[in-house]
Amino acid sequence: MEFALTENQEMIRETFRKFAEKELTREYVRWLDENCDFPPDDLRHKLADLGYFGIGVPEEYGGIGGGTVEMAIATEELATAGVAVAIGMGIVFIGGTRPLTEFGSEEQKTRYLPEIVSGEKKWSFALTEPAGGTDILGAIAATARREGDEYVLNGSKIFISGAHVADYILTVVITDKDTERKNGLSVFIVDAKSKGVTVSLIPKLGIHACGTCEVHYEDVRVPAENLVGVENKGWYQLLGTLNPERIATSTLSLGIANAAFRDALEYSKERKAFGKPIGQFQILQNYLADIAIEIENARNLIYKCAWLCDSGRRYDVEATMAKIVACRASEKAALWGMEILGGYGYTMEYDMQRHFRDYKQMMFSPISDEMSKNYIAQSFGLPRSY
Ligand SMILES: Cc1cc2nc3c(=O)[nH]c(=O)nc-3n(C[C@H](O)[C@H](O)[C@H](O)COP(=O)(O)OP(=O)(O)OC[C@H]3O[C@@H](n4cnc5c(N)ncnc54)[C@H](O)[C@@H]3O)c2cc1C
């Protein structure tokens, strides 16, 4: 058994850590949270120069290869510095590179992947609908009907991250109403500037620098060549991208936990009470030790899942567990981080309030804790509880 990263993986960690130190300073990340609804383009171009968007993309399409472990390493560094930046940048993997690489046509890969890798184009991923995200097969109502060499899309999506700045929105719709839902879904590349697409931002609690949107499609005409994969097989194709998404979101939670732990530890060494640094009080030491244990647990499980994924082994249950463990670590780090900072944690002067607002998004997106546990329990052979 080997836990060590390879030389190349260590280099990736070092590269992204240095990038984060230089480009994602605390002041800048705070400024982004207060002023932006998406990370600025120049950040994306700098990350493209580092090869970030090429991770996991075959070299013939401009990628640099690598896999889920490399992605987790780079993303952990970015998310620790600024989780909203990591999410804003990471959407292209879920909405673009992963689905295109896995089930896109040769023409689609050749046309779209190089412009994602170079940082030129932004993508978002539209699955969730207003009637429900957990029971997406029961809730989905958006449709596409074929008309000649086009499809006509109608419907609404909600909570779509980055749709307000996206060039393309990968959209999941019903193409066959008369069959079991999972056998009637298809995936389309929708040009975000198409006539009939309207996007509006939804104000939210945290992750301010990566906005989330409502998207409406009214008679949106999409060329038939924009169908990704096979018509009506969209659900099965997407399953291959939803599990990596669980690893990715676990890594985002891990980043928040790292940041909250770092800030709490620093503060506990500086702040004094009763003539001593507060970090000398046993109960605060216990808080910090417990956070560190949860972070270590989360990191181990996340990297194990990434390794399982890259080595072609099954990892769906482990990835679902990792999602819960990492969310809990970020929750504990943010809640106890607030305790450790006392009154200052509640002010806008310190970043702990941001970690406290940010961690919550990952608790239910892309899958809630409750649904994750349903999935894990079913893997033991127990009957579906719902
Ligand atoms: C900020 C943000 C960004 C997002 N980004 C994207 C994106 O880019 N693209 C995209 O497609 N979606 C996105 N989502 C959607 C996200 O995946 C959904 O919010 C999530 O799937 C939960 O769906 P819901 O919000 O409709 O909650 P619901 O499905 O209505 O669930 C409400 C509650 O009921 C519980 N529940 C439901 N069913 C069960 C059950 N069977 N057993 C036990 N409990 C149950 C849930 O666990 C939850 O506690 C985003 C959401 C947010 C808030």
Side-chain angles (χ1 to χ4, degrees), residues 24-40 43 81-85 204-211 347-358 361:
L24 298 174
T25 61
R26 290 194 193 202
E27 295 67 33
Y28 184 58
V29 170
R30 200 172 298 168
W31 181 86
L32 288 175
D33 181 62
E34 287 163 6
N35 296 287
C36 294
D37 55 34
F38 204 75
L43 259 184
V83 71
V85 172
K204 62 185 169 87
L205 179 70
I207 321 260
H208 285 162
C210 179
T347 69
M348 302 311 275
E349 197 184 324
Y350 283 81
D351 292 333
M352 197 56 77
Q353 48 77 28
R354 193 180 73 243
H355 309 317
F356 182 75
R357 288 184 284 110
D358 285 354
Q361 177 168 323

Side-chain angles (χ1 to χ4, degrees), residues 125 127-128 132-134 159 161 212 361 364-366 368 370 374 386:
F125 175 59
L127 173 64
T128 306
T134 308
F159 304 135
S161 301
T212 296
Q361 177 168 323
F364 47 80
S365 179
S368 67
E370 294 81 6
N374 288 338
Y386 54 97

Side-chain angles (χ1 to χ4, degrees), residues 238-311:
L238 283 172
L239 290 179
T241 67
L242 296 180
N243 287 323
E245 191 184 13
R246 284 180 200 168
I247 302 181
T249 45
S250 306
T251 315
L252 299 168
S253 294
L254 175 62
I256 298 172
N258 287 338
F261 174 76
R262 174 201 63 202
D263 293 353
L265 178 63
E266 266 178 33
Y267 191 85
S268 74
K269 290 178 180 170
E270 285 160 12
R271 179 76 172 169
K272 291 202 168 61
F274 299 92
K276 307 167 185 171
I278 58 169
Q280 200 174 324
F281 300 126
Q282 190 180 30
I283 190 160
L284 298 198
Q285 291 188 358
N286 282 357
Y287 288 165
L288 288 162
D290 278 344
I291 298 169
I293 291 166
E294 297 218 5
I295 287 176
E296 186 63 16
N297 252 336
R299 186 178 292 115
N300 283 332
L301 192 46
I302 290 168
Y303 283 91
K304 177 184 172 187
C305 289
W307 172 80
L308 286 170
C309 174
D310 288 346
S311 54

Side-chain angles (χ1 to χ4, degrees), residues 164-194:
H164 57 311
V165 295
D167 297 286
Y168 298 103
I169 304 173
L170 196 80
T171 305
V172 187
V173 290
I174 300 169
T175 37
D176 184 352
K177 287 184 202 157
D178 302 322
T179 181
E180 217 184 333
R181 196 55 82 226
K182 63 185 178 197
N183 297 322
L185 299 184
S186 301
V187 181
F188 289 93
I189 300 166
V190 177
D191 186 329
K193 287 178 215 70
S194 306

Side-chain angles (χ1 to χ4, degrees), residues 308-319:
L308 286 170
C309 174
D310 288 346
S311 54
R313 291 167 166 90
R314 201 173 157 176
Y315 67 99
D316 52 331
V317 177
E318 288 86 347

